[in-house]
Structures are given as structure tokens and as C-alpha cells.
């Protein structure tokens, strides 16, 4: 295995929820890595050098020696296979499958929430207008799924903390930190995930002014 430190390319504003997810996974696994930033607004991810490196020209991209991988869930699963000593996914096959299901759902659904509650709400404190009818429906769906998964007021989605807890907390915080109505139990859950040291390290990154 390559002995050089891993390199993680993220957005220069540190607002990508997917870059955050991989950053937290790396920290939880106690891996040495270098953070490199790209200004997405300046289209640095489309520059020739990065385009040659990253197949999909997106952040996050992880570079491990001569191997580069983008798409956050693919990166986390790659790290899980290489460094299983500190797991970020459940070890039980059914729980692991459920974790992957929830992670894929958070990345592919709830578009109206992602559009109307960008992560500027979470990381810059930018407040947005009231949710549209479509976004309200998406919020009800998000809350319903979260309540079903956390029906017994458990601290984590599964038997132990997993990276999916961070992904779900981030989605909930799009609403919570904007002041939208979210059940108290889910607010407590999201706050608990947010206090994790690996998460706080990302939250407290130095960001350029908006």
C-alpha cells in the first residue's frame, strides 16, 4: 500500500456536504491526509489538471498514490475496505445495507430541500425564505424517515455511530438552522451528531467571506 499521505480535494468554501462526509470519515479512521481546495465558483474543478486527475471532475476527490476516486459514498466505502479497524459503517450486513440505502437516498432525493436550504444556511448562517409547497413535502418526508429510523430515541441510526449519522444530521440541519419546524427529538439528535469532534473540525474551518 502507498505510504504517501492521502490527498482530499474539497471546495474552497468548505460547504459541500459530501466533502464534509469524507473528511469526517478520514478523521474517524485516524488517517493522515492533506486537504486541498478548489474554487468551484471559479470552475477550478474543470481545469485541465484536475479534470485529468478526477474522472467526474467533482469534489470530494480522494487521491491515494496513483489512484484517484470521486463521489463521496464510493470514497467512504473504499476507505472502509482498506482501513476496517475504525469502522464508519455498521458491521452487521443488514444494518450496513440500510446505511447504504439511507446514504444513497439523502444524495438522490429531497432536491427541493437542497435547492431551498443550501448549506450556506448551515455553514454561513444565511437564512432563506419560507419553504415552497414542494419543499415542505420533502421536509415531511425527511422527518418521517428520520423518525422511523430513530423511533426508540436512540443516539445513532444503528447500534454504533456511522458516517450516515453525519449525513442525516446535515440534511436535518438545513432545516433546523434556518428555523424551520423540526420535532424536538430530531433537533437533539442532530445537535448530538454536530458535537462530534471530527464534525466540529469541519464546521469550524476558516471560510472565505461571502
Amino acid at each position: 500500500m502507498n505510504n504517501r499521505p492521502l490527498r482530499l480535494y474539497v471546495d474552497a468554501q468548505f460547504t459541500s456536504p459530501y466533502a464534509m462526509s469524507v473528511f469526517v470519515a478520514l478523521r474517524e479512521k485516524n488517517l493522515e491526509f492533506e486537504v486541498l481546495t478548489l474554487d468551484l465558483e471559479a470552475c477550478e474543478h474543470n481545469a485541465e489538471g484536475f479534470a485529468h486527475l478526477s474522472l467526474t471532475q467533482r469534489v470530494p476527490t480522494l487521491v491515494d498514490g496513483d489512484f484517484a476516486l470521486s463521489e463521496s459514498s464510493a470514497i467512504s466505502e473504499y476507505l472502509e475496505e482498506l482501513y476496517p479497524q475504525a469502522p464508519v459503517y455498521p458491521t452487521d450486513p443488514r444494518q450496513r445495507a440500510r446505511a447504504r440505502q439511507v446514504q444513497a437516498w439523502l444524495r438522490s432525493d429531497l432536491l427541493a430541500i437542497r435547492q431551498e436550504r443550501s448549506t450556506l444556511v448551515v455553514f454561513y448562517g444565511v437564512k432563506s425564505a419560507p419553504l415552497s409547497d414542494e419543499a415542505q413535502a420533502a421536509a415531511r418526508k425527511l422527518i418521517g424517515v428520520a423518525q422511523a429510523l430513530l423511533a426508540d430515541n436512540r443516539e445513532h441510526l444503528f447500534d454504533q455511530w456511522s458516517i450516515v449519522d453525519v449525513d442525516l444530521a446535515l440534511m436535518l440541519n438545513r432545516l433546523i438552522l434556518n428555523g424551520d419546524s423540526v420535532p424536538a427529538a430530531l433537533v437533539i439528535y442532530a445537535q448530538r451528531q454536530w458535537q462530534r469532534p471530527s464534525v466540529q473540525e469541519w464546521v469550524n474551518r476558516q471560510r472565505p467571506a461571502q
Side-chain angles (χ1 to χ4, degrees):
M1 191 177 297
N2 189 347
N3 291 323
R4 286 180 293 177
L6 301 165
R7 287 181 287 151
L8 178 66
Y9 285 87
V10 305
D11 60 304
Q13 290 71 35
F14 297 100
T15 58
S16 166
Y18 314 116
M20 173 183 173
S21 186
V22 173
F23 178 92
V24 170
L26 285 160
R27 277 286 182 257
E28 292 289 337
K29 288 183 173 294
N30 296 312
L31 297 173
E32 182 182 352
F33 65 100
E34 178 184 5
V35 174
L36 299 139
T37 60
L38 295 171
D39 188 338
L40 303 187
E41 293 182 1
C43 296
E44 289 184 353
H45 56 300
N46 294 328
E48 183 178 353
F50 187 71
H52 179 73
L53 178 71
S54 176
L55 183 63
T56 57
Q57 300 175 36
R58 296 190 352 147
V59 298
T61 288
L62 181 77
V63 180
D64 184 6
D66 59 359
F67 179 66
L69 185 67
S70 55
E71 307 307 317
S72 58
S73 55
I75 296 170
S76 294
E77 291 190 23
Y78 171 74
L79 294 171
E80 189 80 336
E81 291 187 13
L82 283 184
Y83 308 100
Q85 300 87 348
V88 296
Y89 287 97
T91 54
D92 175 80
R94 290 189 175 185
Q95 288 194 0
R96 189 183 185 98
R98 182 71 74 201
R100 287 170 166 164
Q101 176 192 20
V102 173
Q103 198 170 47
W105 172 67
L106 290 169
R107 282 157 171 70
S108 61
D109 199 358
L110 309 171
L111 177 61
I113 294 177
R114 286 184 274 124
Q115 289 178 330
E116 298 183 28
R117 295 291 181 265
S118 81
T119 52
L120 293 180
V121 172
V122 178
F123 300 114
Y124 278 93
V126 176
K127 295 296 195 295
S128 298
L131 294 168
S132 67
D133 290 346
E134 183 182 4
Q136 288 182 37
R140 287 193 295 271
K141 183 176 183 180
L142 170 63
I143 289 167
V145 170
Q147 288 178 320
L149 290 167
L150 298 162
D152 55 357
N153 291 322
R154 59 175 61 202
E155 290 191 5
H156 310 299
L157 289 170
F158 306 105
D159 291 341
Q160 294 182 317
W161 175 89
S162 74
I163 194 62
V164 189
D165 285 299
V166 174
D167 295 337
L168 178 58
L170 185 284
M171 187 62 80
L172 289 169
N173 271 335
R174 291 175 186 262
L175 302 174
I176 294 167
L177 297 178
N178 194 74
D180 299 306
S181 179
V182 174
L186 295 183
V187 173
I188 292 170
Y189 163 80
Q191 290 173 339
R192 182 185 301 119
Q193 306 311 321
W194 225 237
Q195 292 309 309
R196 202 168 181 91
S198 57
V199 174
Q200 278 293 296
E201 185 177 347
W202 177 271
V203 170
N204 293 320
R205 301 289 298 200
Q206 185 76 30
R207 292 179 170 81
Q210 278 289 297

